[in-house]
Amino acid sequence: AVASPVAARGFGLEDGSVVAIAEDPQAFVRQVLSLYNQPREWEERQQAGLQFAQNHFSPEQVRNQLGILLESFQGISKRSAA
């Protein structure tokens, strides 16, 4: 996958990990063509991206993160009421 720096930062990704980061439209096209011409790297990035999504955005992970968030709100409201 190829992403802009803003998109990569939003997901906490670094260049070369799950994605290639492209600073401008020309770099984006170069990165896409590079991956297109390297099927093995494309496949590795695809698998890494799927694993990243599963680790961070699966229903179980989202449920866990929401539970943590709700618990923190409950702690704040209990302190406010005291």
Side-chain angles (χ1 to χ4, degrees):
V2 181
S4 71
V6 172
R9 258 192 318 272
F11 285 104
L13 298 171
E14 295 181 11
D15 193 24
S17 59
V18 174
V19 299
I21 298 174
E23 298 282 339
D24 57 58
Q26 293 81 14
F28 197 93
V29 170
R30 280 193 305 274
Q31 291 288 357
V32 168
L33 289 175
S34 176
L35 286 172
Y36 181 78
N37 289 315
Q38 298 178 59
R40 185 179 180 133
E41 185 174 348
W42 181 334
E43 180 68 27
E44 289 171 1
R45 295 262 177 111
Q46 180 184 23
Q47 292 303 315
L50 291 171
Q51 187 64 51
F52 179 86
Q54 182 68 29
N55 290 344
H56 294 87
F57 305 110
S58 69
E60 181 180 342
Q61 287 297 324
V62 171
R63 194 171 22 259
N64 289 341
Q65 291 301 314
L66 283 174
I68 292 167
L69 183 63
L70 290 173
E71 286 175 10
S72 71
F73 283 137
Q74 288 175 344
I76 292 170
S77 66
K78 287 179 184 177
R79 281 180 280 190
S80 298

